[in-house]
Amino acid sequence: MSDTYDAGPVAALRRIAFLLERGREDSYKVKAFRGAAAAILPMSHDQVVAAVEDGTLTALPGVGASTARVIADAVRGVMPARLAELEREHGGDLTTGGSGLRAALRGDLHSHSDWSDGGSPIEEMAFTAIELGHDYLVLTDHSPRLTVAHGLSAERLTRQLGVVDAVNQHLASAGEGHFTLLKGIEVDILDDGSLDQDDDLLARLDVRVASVHSKLKMDADDMTRRMIGAIRNPRTNVLGHCTGRLVTGNRGTRPGSRFDAKAVFEACAEHGVAVEINSRPERRDPPTALLELARDLGCVFSIDSDAHAPGQLDFLVYGCERAEAAGIDPDRIVNTWPRERLLAWATK
């Protein structure tokens, strides 16, 4: 790794935060570097240089001693030691397989911003998706029932749609018109199988991921009816993390919900609803046996990051590794499709 660095201090701070998220480090570490990047972003290059030279960086709100060292090194064209360390620790391949399928993905249909329970603004998620080579990213913040995740009321979702339009306009004016931030939602599947948002608002979205987040211990027959009810809803495009299980991570573990998987996946195949291959390491959902069953029943799939932070957008390769191991044809994975084909499918 070179001892020189010429990308500038904001890029260095953002890259450190990205690598910390990619390596699943504690979020408080990430916030320090993203906060410092936000603090110096409005400053001119000369202003940042002056603050480095006169030792006043740490007087800026959001800049501490460790982030000041990164800024000073980057300003002077020196590779920041913290960045070099994290590149060695978290910058390599996340998996041994899946790279071929990962290269075929055009985008990601499941991501969260700080409008619900994500950790970063919408524009930061979009910028990172562009840096990862995406053609599109679907913003899918939570629906109202999930209050613990600050789910979006109809009013807040309406306001968010305007923000998405503004982000896309800014990206187009900045020469990033090849990328589109798509309007979406991760909508809760209610106990009776209905969807937790106004239908007229759901109709305004590009892609809708429907997920169960509550009463995961529901009786298997009731859960089956609940899931199939949502799958039959013409607004539903993707069945998110179908079992809801957690297999590792700081939230602990929990078993998946019980349901008639054959009946659920047959409904997905009949109604053109994609089964999500959730790429979060703590989920690995659906389990391998269910993934193979959905494959054999003719389902289409969506490999999604379920990212709650920019660095987690790079988790897609985990799902790609599982899909490749299961022998799933890439053309059955909807986010290998160009945007126009994806949107035509989603408005079935």
Side-chain angles (χ1 to χ4, degrees):
M1 187 179 300
S2 173
D3 292 333
T4 62
Y5 186 80
D6 61 6
V10 172
L13 293 164
R14 288 184 66 242
R15 179 66 179 173
I16 288 171
F18 174 88
L19 290 168
L20 287 168
E21 290 163 344
R22 192 175 188 263
R24 303 166 67 197
E25 298 275 1
D26 291 337
S27 60
Y28 76 87
K29 297 179 183 178
V30 176
K31 288 179 180 178
F33 291 96
R34 290 210 185 278
I40 66 170
L41 183 61
M43 300 171 63
S44 69
H45 174 73
D46 289 344
Q47 287 173 320
V48 176
V49 170
V52 169
E53 295 306 321
D54 62 21
T56 59
L57 274 176
T58 54
L60 297 171
V63 179
S66 60
T67 54
R69 285 193 293 271
V70 171
I71 295 168
D73 283 345
V75 162
R76 293 166 180 155
V78 176
M79 169 63 74
R82 184 66 169 134
L83 177 55
E85 174 191 358
L86 289 170
E87 291 286 6
R88 290 191 295 268
E89 189 173 355
H90 297 314
D93 292 340
L94 293 173
T95 62
T96 56
S99 59
L101 181 53
R102 174 64 187 89
L105 294 188
R106 304 292 189 96
D108 188 341
L109 307 192
H110 188 168
S111 67
H112 298 273
S113 75
D114 60 3
W115 280 60
S116 64
D117 61 342
S120 288
I122 293 170
E123 56 270 26
E124 182 67 26
M125 298 297 289
F127 293 150
T128 302
I130 292 169
E131 290 163 357
L132 291 173
H134 290 13
D135 293 338
Y136 49 81
L137 174 69
V138 185
L139 178 64
T140 55
D141 280 320
H142 289 284
S143 63
R145 174 169 170 171
L146 206 62
T147 54
V148 69
H150 200 38
L152 272 61
S153 65
E155 179 184 1
R156 292 182 64 226
L157 178 57
T158 300
R159 286 195 286 116
Q160 186 183 81
L161 300 185
V163 173
V164 172
D165 285 336
V167 169
N168 281 324
Q169 290 167 8
H170 172 76
L171 292 173
S173 66
E176 301 290 356
H178 63 281
F179 172 86
T180 306
L181 183 64
L182 296 176
K183 298 170 181 175
I185 191 170
E186 184 179 16
V187 60
D188 259 31
I189 299 174
L190 301 178
D191 297 0
D192 63 356
S194 60
L195 302 182
D196 179 38
Q197 190 50 273
D198 295 345
D199 188 69
D200 59 341
L201 265 179
L202 293 176
R204 294 176 59 187
L205 304 177
D206 296 309
V207 176
R208 295 142 291 252
V209 177
S211 305
V212 172
H213 287 106
S214 62
K215 298 184 180 179
L216 295 179
K217 295 181 180 180
M218 179 181 281
D219 174 82
D221 289 341
D222 291 338
M223 183 63 83
T224 302
R225 284 191 289 272
R226 179 183 182 183
M227 295 172 75
I228 290 177
I231 291 164
R232 287 174 175 166
N233 189 311
R235 303 295 184 206
T236 300
N237 301 124
V238 179
L239 177 63
H241 48 69
C242 62
T243 76
R245 72 174 187 168
L246 294 173
V247 296
T248 186
N250 57 15
R251 289 191 288 169
T253 62
R254 69 177 176 227
S257 57
R258 296 180 301 112
F259 55 90
D260 183 338
K262 183 173 184 290
V264 166
F265 295 149
E266 284 177 340
C268 285
E270 178 183 354
H271 295 278
V273 171
V275 175
E276 179 179 73
I277 302 175
N278 190 288
S279 298
R280 294 190 68 87
E282 67 267 31
R283 287 195 180 276
R284 290 181 58 84
D285 204 359
T288 299
L290 295 192
L291 178 60
E292 293 173 347
L293 176 63
R295 174 201 64 196
D296 294 344
L297 290 172
C299 293
V300 294
F301 299 89
S302 177
I303 299 176
D304 296 328
S305 67
D306 193 359
H308 286 64
Q312 295 172 6
L313 288 168
D314 217 13
F315 286 174
L316 285 175
V317 71
Y318 289 119
C320 291
E321 182 179 49
R322 298 191 66 219
E324 278 193 354
I328 296 172
D329 184 338
D331 196 54
R332 289 174 61 183
I333 299 166
V334 299
N335 49 324
T336 66
W337 299 349
R339 180 179 57 216
E340 292 74 17
R341 182 183 176 190
L342 176 80
L343 293 176
W345 163 79
T347 54
K348 60 185 184 297

